[in-house]
Amino acid sequence: MKRILIGLFVAAVLAAGGWFGFNLYAKHQATAEIEAAFEQIRASGGKASHGKIGFDLMSRTLTIEDIAVVPGNEPQAQIKIAGIKGTGVRQIDETRFSADGIDITGLEVALDRIGPAKLKASYKVPQLTMRDYAGPIRSGETPVSGSLADVYRYVLGQYASITATSLTAPTLTMDFDSGSAAGGSGELTYSGLTMQNLKHGKVDAMKADRAAISIDVKQPGRADKLTGELSNIIVNDFDATAIIAALDPKTSSDETYHRVYRQILAGPYALKSSQGMRIDIDGFVMEDIDVQPSKFRLAERFDALPQDQSAVPTPAQSREMLEKIAGIYEGVRIGKAEVSKISIGTPQGTGKVNTIRYRESEFAIEGVDTPAPQGQFKMERFALKSFSAAHLMRWGAGLSNPGEAPSPDQMLGLFRVFAGAEIKGVVSPFKNTRQFVTIDTISLDWGQLIGSIPSKANLVVKMVTPTDPTSPSQRALVIAGIDKLAIDLDLGAAWTESSGAFALAPATIDLGNLARAQARFALSNVPRAVFTADPVQAMSGARQIEAGAIELTLRDSGVVDLIVAQFSRIQNVSRDAARSAIVEMIKAQGEKFAASNLDAKAAADALADFVATSGQTLTIKLTPLGKVPLVQLMDALNHEPVLALAQFRIEASTGL
């Protein structure tokens, strides 16, 4: 029995010795791997140190205390970690390891003089927890250059090399300081940070319950403090590999689109200024954000940033910068962006906007209700069609010569920024009166650009405006008791290059309480050369243009009575006498035309008949009798109208 007990005791001692020996060996191996990783940082010119290392083989728990790292490259950075605890740690192969969980405490990252702005920033994460982690034992080679693009590519590359089922941090605080009188400083604190399913640079979902903002704005002669809060920040389907591709010079020819975000949601959001302004936003959403590496080219954009932010850029530098920004916009595709229920409060009142939206290249503002100096302004919708931020940047680059008026060609470049605009449902105070201008629709579209000039356009206007008693041109309307003008305009024009034809059709204006007029006319032999901002070239091309058929229709809804009443007041006669006098004057003028142009006399007779009876429709058609050069026609109309009309067959008629 004693021999058995002694044997068991010896076996227990040998087992314990073997266990502790293997535990010490495992700890030694873990320590050696950690030292090798830190030595890699030192070898690249940085500094790296750590405190106590512990390893428990039974639970496979690895602990490291008091980590401090200073990379050897620009921008200057300092990383401190109070402690790392990994449980269930296993080595997958020679380059990677896994852990059931990793807890990091006291993480601090300080960045000094980063980027051209020489910004100082720090990040603090008191507690960070990762579950089901797998990643490299040692980090990759740090970038030798101080290029901002290389640094971002390195950081994102490290991020893309790890996997984890979740990452949580109760808080993350970022402090920044521009260090200049014209900049600012502040703090941004996130609460309730979580990430789900990190794998190969992709994240299924990221969320922050809250972000608190505090910014001290430094401006010459005017300091301000901004405080705010943003809640429910959610990111679905983030892919860092798309940004890595855009930062890699090797992918500069990649013209395919890579999705970075499927969806970003946030809100509500509130921001207050010490100057008395407050902004409240109910929600924000962006969907399907893609980048095209061949155009996005972030590395080139970073390299183009001015190194001295305090220096005022020259016009050439401003143009170059705007061109680089345009390239960034050109390489980004956004499926949808929308900000909803915006409220802007100022000491003068509160303005509200229901929605600001960008979708399918249309930028729109909807549901505006805001105070104006003369009263409340309301607008149902304002939209820019086929809007291009890249073209806007390039257009702005062409206007970046201070003190120099832009040329006509530069101003015409605005037609490339968007392809149309629309305003709907406007109610606006009219001057200092209690009346309102109401706009049902103003819609302007253009296209078929030749250079920067449209060869096709359409304008629609439907609105009601009060008459202005202070305007001499509207005094007759006011005296006649017309206090409003209802305007209904439809104007379309297009040029066809294959035939050289230019047509204005339809061109309709309806002044509801006065008249409705419609015009159609055509031009032939219109050369491409006339679509230019060069007046000499345009005039040279205009000499080839020939006038075509012209048709004018006028429907009387009160304009004849208005003219008669005005003539009656001026001549101090009755309205019947005034009407008869006008009719006789028109007929007398027609008699003068009779000798040279019977058609002109017929047109004058039709006009006299139109005035004689209210409520009629007058139609006049002019058909060229041969080739009628437009330039010569315009000159003849200014000096010899009768001879100009003699080049046309004139048909005129009236009817109720």
Side-chain angles (χ1 to χ4, degrees), residues 197-316:
N197 296 327
L198 291 75
K199 190 174 183 180
H200 306 308
K202 299 179 181 180
V203 181
D204 284 357
M206 295 186 284
K207 182 181 179 182
D209 295 334
R210 177 176 177 268
I213 305 163
S214 177
I215 301 174
D216 291 313
V217 181
K218 299 174 184 177
Q219 296 178 349
R222 183 182 179 184
D224 197 0
K225 185 176 182 64
L226 303 176
T227 56
E229 180 176 311
L230 177 62
S231 303
N232 303 321
I233 307 161
I234 300 171
V235 176
N236 292 316
D237 294 337
F238 167 68
D239 187 355
T241 61
I243 301 298
I244 295 173
L247 287 166
D248 190 349
K250 297 177 182 178
T251 62
S252 60
S253 61
D254 185 357
E255 296 184 355
T256 60
Y257 279 94
H258 302 254
R259 191 172 72 180
V260 182
Y261 298 96
R262 180 177 65 83
Q263 187 182 61
I264 302 174
L265 303 166
Y269 170 64
L271 182 68
K272 293 188 295 184
S273 162
S274 61
Q275 300 292 334
M277 180 175 287
R278 178 184 175 95
I279 300 174
D280 291 278
I281 297 174
D282 186 67
F284 168 84
V285 60
M286 291 184 73
E287 294 180 354
D288 298 324
I289 305 170
D290 307 334
V291 297
Q292 186 181 26
S294 63
K295 293 183 179 178
F296 198 53
R297 297 187 180 180
L298 277 178
E300 293 181 12
R301 316 308 177 200
F302 288 146
D303 293 341
L305 292 173
Q307 297 302 308
D308 185 3
Q309 292 287 313
S310 62
V312 178
T314 65

Side-chain angles (χ1 to χ4, degrees), residues 66-82:
D66 300 326
I67 298 170
V69 176
V70 179
N73 55 284
E74 294 286 348
Q76 291 298 321
Q78 293 183 352
I79 303 170
K80 293 183 179 180
I81 301 175

Side-chain angles (χ1 to χ4, degrees), residues 243-537:
I243 301 298
I244 295 173
L247 287 166
D248 190 349
K250 297 177 182 178
T251 62
S252 60
S253 61
D254 185 357
E255 296 184 355
T256 60
Y257 279 94
H258 302 254
R259 191 172 72 180
V260 182
Y261 298 96
R262 180 177 65 83
Q263 187 182 61
I264 302 174
L265 303 166
Y269 170 64
L271 182 68
K272 293 188 295 184
S273 162
S274 61
Q275 300 292 334
M277 180 175 287
R278 178 184 175 95
I279 300 174
D280 291 278
I281 297 174
D282 186 67
F284 168 84
V285 60
M286 291 184 73
E287 294 180 354
D288 298 324
I289 305 170
D290 307 334
V291 297
Q292 186 181 26
S294 63
K295 293 183 179 178
F296 198 53
R297 297 187 180 180
L298 277 178
E300 293 181 12
R301 316 308 177 200
F302 288 146
D303 293 341
L305 292 173
Q307 297 302 308
D308 185 3
Q309 292 287 313
S310 62
V312 178
T314 65
Q317 289 173 330
S318 297
R319 284 193 296 272
E320 182 182 5
M321 177 57 61
L322 288 172
E323 178 62 34
K324 297 295 184 183
I325 296 173
I328 292 178
Y329 279 116
E330 212 167 37
V332 177
R333 183 173 64 186
I334 300 175
K336 172 186 176 182
E338 184 175 304
V339 184
S340 58
K341 291 183 171 53
I342 306 134
S343 174
I344 303 175
T346 68
Q348 291 73 37
T350 300
K352 296 181 179 180
V353 178
N354 189 58
T355 306
I356 298 176
R357 177 186 296 114
Y358 175 83
R359 189 169 189 174
E360 296 179 350
S361 299
E362 181 185 79
F363 175 78
I365 301 174
E366 299 177 350
V368 176
D369 188 351
T370 185
Q374 288 83 28
Q376 201 73 6
F377 172 85
K378 296 182 179 182
M379 181 175 65
E380 180 183 322
R381 172 180 166 84
F382 168 77
L384 299 177
K385 305 172 185 179
S386 299
F387 175 75
S388 170
H391 287 164
L392 178 63
M393 292 296 107
R394 291 197 170 97
W395 181 69
L399 305 178
S400 57
N401 289 327
E404 182 178 321
S407 67
D409 194 51
Q410 288 175 322
M411 293 304 299
L412 288 169
L414 187 61
F415 285 117
R416 290 190 171 277
V417 176
F418 51 98
E422 180 183 61
I423 299 174
K424 283 189 173 183
V426 172
V427 179
S428 177
F430 182 71
K431 296 188 174 182
N432 292 318
T433 69
R434 294 185 178 182
Q435 299 185 43
F436 294 88
V437 175
T438 59
I439 300 174
D440 179 75
T441 300
I442 297 179
S443 177
L444 176 61
D445 300 274
W446 57 84
Q448 297 179 185
L449 296 183
I450 300 174
S452 297
I453 301 178
S455 63
K456 179 181 180 181
N458 188 76
L459 173 64
V460 174
V461 178
K462 293 182 180 180
M463 62 181 291
V464 177
T465 178
T467 51
D468 185 1
T470 63
S471 172
S473 63
Q474 297 184 31
R475 192 166 299 159
L477 300 175
V478 175
I479 294 173
I482 298 175
D483 59 352
K484 294 180 181 179
L485 281 176
I487 302 170
D488 189 343
L489 173 66
D490 189 347
L491 174 63
W495 175 69
T496 305
E497 184 170 14
S498 59
S499 63
F502 179 87
L504 180 69
T508 303
I509 181 168
D510 190 343
L511 302 177
N513 40 5
L514 291 175
R516 175 183 174 85
Q518 187 175 71
R520 295 175 182 270
F521 74 81
L523 301 174
S524 60
N525 295 330
V526 179
R528 186 184 182 91
V530 299
F531 296 96
T532 176
D534 183 345
V536 176
Q537 182 180 338

Side-chain angles (χ1 to χ4, degrees), residues 132-196:
D132 303 315
Y133 174 91
I137 294 175
R138 301 182 184 92
S139 62
E141 292 292 332
T142 56
V144 177
S145 72
S147 166
L148 199 57
D150 288 344
V151 172
Y152 280 156
R153 189 168 64 249
Y154 169 76
V155 172
L156 289 173
Q158 297 304 302
Y159 168 78
S161 67
I162 69 172
T163 64
T165 57
S166 68
L167 183 152
T168 59
T171 62
L172 183 155
T173 301
M174 185 194 80
D175 293 285
F176 67 90
D177 189 348
S178 67
S180 64
S185 60
E187 179 180 279
L188 176 63
T189 301
Y190 291 95
S191 303
L193 280 168
T194 61
M195 294 186 184
Q196 299 295 325

